[in-house]
Amino acid sequence: MAAMKKVLVAVAVAAFAAFIGYRILKLKELSLGSREIPLKHLNCHYIKNIEFGAEDITILKDGMAFMSTGLKYPGLPSFSDEPGKIYAMDLLHPKPSPVELQIKGDLDLRSFNPHGISVFVDEDDSVYLFVVNHPQHKSQVEIFHFVEDTLVHLKTITHPLLHSVNDIVAVGVESFYATNDHSFPNDILHFLVIIMGLPWCDVIYYSPEDVRVAANGFMSSNGINISPDKRYIYVSDILDHEIDVFERQRGEQLVYIKSVAVGSLCDNIEVDHRTGDIWLGCHPNAGKLSNFDPNDPPGSEVIQIKNIHSKQPVVTQVYADDGHVIIGSSVAAAYDGKLLIGTVFHKALCCSLK
């Protein structure tokens, strides 16, 4: 009996080890750890003063671009001890140059660690900037009123459901959808979930009156944005290499419509106000991103999706680099023939699409 018990235990341990080994290989596959991409460059130049990443960029209809810089994210490199900053850049200026926005109000700027951003323009044209902030690696959302070259801090939002916020899309003066890129705030538990292949990440809807899970079933929900007509929400499930499309329905319910394969680990999502085209800053090989080697840096990739709501969306690689020009692209935003490419911790580019 004792011998049989030992055999059963040995078989169970071997089976578990084989399963874990399979899941680790699967994780390497999900991270595209063996992928190399040919170069595909545009006419670009570095954006002045952006040296430590522009993890997210969003552009208003009038050409004003906002950039969150200086993100410090667990497991990824950071080359500056300074707090994060928000920049604005007028793309209609003959020579666009970023301006650091002064932040006023009751906010601890020493621990300011901005991640995803979104802008909401009210009926009276007031501009509100929503910023995902990770002070001491916590998750909270800051709401600012943008006035000239100043951000006036209005409110800090925290909630147990907003435990690992990556990105945000504002749908009102105090309401938004946000992605959690971890299923649990605890990194070890989240890693176990990823190893097991469990799609337990979600999208949260927040308003002062209602906070709830709006959509779930993501391996890792990352970038999020909204269609120009405000009818659809787009979510990047970064480990599934897909952009998921949801329809907003009454009561801010999100109903799944479809997924579009992109073949890369796409981070933030930006939407062209005029055409509705989707622009994605992507990581062609996440293995190089998490195991950073300056001699073999992670590359960058920009993908555009046209006609995403049609039966045959057109997915196009617009830009690709092996990390020797720009490292770890996380966002791409297009406006009037210009393309801005931001990164998690490196520089940012302004490119011509004409």
Side-chain angles (χ1 to χ4, degrees):
M1 191 70 177
M4 179 62 73
K5 192 173 183 180
K6 288 182 179 179
V7 169
L8 291 175
V9 169
V11 169
V13 169
F16 180 73
F19 174 75
I20 293 299
Y22 167 77
R23 289 308 310 173
I24 290 174
L25 289 175
K26 189 66 177 177
L27 186 58
K28 184 178 180 181
E29 181 182 318
L30 292 175
S31 70
L32 303 179
S34 301
R35 186 176 182 227
E36 299 289 343
I37 57 173
L39 303 183
K40 188 175 184 178
H41 286 161
L42 299 169
N43 181 15
C44 305
H45 64 269
Y46 291 118
I47 298 176
K48 184 180 178 181
N49 296 329
I50 307 299
E51 301 291 338
F52 306 112
E55 199 281 337
D56 203 4
I57 300 172
T58 194
I59 307 173
L60 294 178
K61 291 180 181 179
D62 66 2
M64 183 63 71
F66 294 91
M67 294 177 275
S68 66
T69 71
L71 173 66
K72 297 164 184 64
Y73 192 84
L76 295 179
S78 174
F79 299 108
S80 173
D81 294 328
E82 292 186 9
K85 300 174 182 178
I86 303 293
Y87 285 84
M89 186 166 71
D90 182 2
L91 295 180
L92 294 181
H93 191 279
K95 295 183 178 180
S97 181
V99 175
E100 181 185 347
L101 299 181
Q102 301 302 307
I103 297 176
K104 295 183 179 179
D106 187 18
L107 180 67
D108 182 7
L109 297 181
R110 295 169 299 178
S111 62
F112 188 48
N113 189 15
H115 198 168
I117 60 175
S118 180
V119 173
F120 182 79
V121 181
D122 206 351
E123 294 177 355
D124 64 359
D125 291 330
S126 295
V127 177
Y128 298 91
L129 182 69
F130 291 60
V131 180
V132 177
N133 184 20
H134 301 297
Q136 293 83 43
H137 300 300
K138 297 181 291 186
S139 277
Q140 57 196 51
V141 174
E142 316 293 351
I143 302 179
F144 301 91
H145 185 202
F146 173 62
V147 184
E148 294 181 351
D149 291 339
T150 302
L151 292 175
V152 180
H153 185 250
L154 302 178
K155 189 174 185 179
T156 295
I157 294 171
T158 59
H159 191 277
L161 288 178
L162 299 169
H163 56 75
S164 306
V165 182
N166 183 298
D167 198 14
I168 187 170
V169 59
V171 294
V173 175
E174 291 187 82
S175 57
F176 55 84
Y177 290 94
T179 56
N180 282 314
D181 60 12
H182 283 46
S183 47
F184 294 98
N186 182 285
D187 287 334
I188 295 176
L189 287 177
H190 175 66
F191 179 73
L192 290 175
V193 168
I194 292 295
I195 285 289
M196 299 293 285
L198 301 174
W200 283 3
C201 289
D202 52 25
V203 172
I204 304 301
Y205 172 72
Y206 177 93
S207 75
E209 299 80 27
D210 184 21
V211 187
R212 55 185 162 77
V213 175
N216 53 24
F218 304 95
M219 283 291 290
S220 182
S221 40
N222 200 292
I224 188 169
N225 219 312
I226 194 167
S227 60
D229 63 5
K230 313 302 181 187
R231 182 178 172 184
Y232 297 98
I233 295 290
Y234 310 119
V235 180
S236 174
D237 194 344
I238 190 168
L239 289 178
D240 268 353
H241 317 146
E242 292 179 336
I243 302 301
D244 297 330
V245 180
F246 296 85
E247 185 174 15
R248 294 173 71 192
Q249 296 192 351
R250 181 176 297 178
E252 294 297 347
Q253 297 290 335
L254 292 184
V255 176
Y256 173 80
I257 301 297
K258 64 191 291 188
S259 296
V260 178
V262 289
S264 189
L265 292 105
C266 293
D267 202 318
N268 290 303
I269 301 172
E270 291 302 312
V271 181
D272 188 303
H273 295 288
R274 185 175 56 86
T275 65
D277 291 352
I278 309 296
W279 289 88
L280 307 165
C282 309
H283 306 291
N285 182 330
K288 290 186 178 183
L289 189 69
S290 56
N291 301 296
F292 181 73
D293 178 358
N295 296 314
D296 185 21
S300 294
E301 186 173 21
V302 173
I303 291 175
Q304 177 190 25
I305 305 177
K306 291 185 176 182
N307 306 320
I308 192 168
H309 299 288
S310 70
K311 291 183 179 180
Q312 292 184 314
V314 179
V315 179
T316 304
Q317 183 196 69
V318 176
Y319 179 91
D321 180 65
D322 59 5
H324 289 87
V325 174
I326 191 165
I327 296 172
S329 57
S330 55
V331 63
Y335 184 86
D336 192 31
K338 297 183 179 69
L339 178 67
L340 305 184
I341 305 174
T343 66
V344 181
F345 53 82
H346 190 225
K347 298 176 183 289
L349 292 177
C350 180
C351 306
S352 174
L353 291 171
K354 295 180 179 178

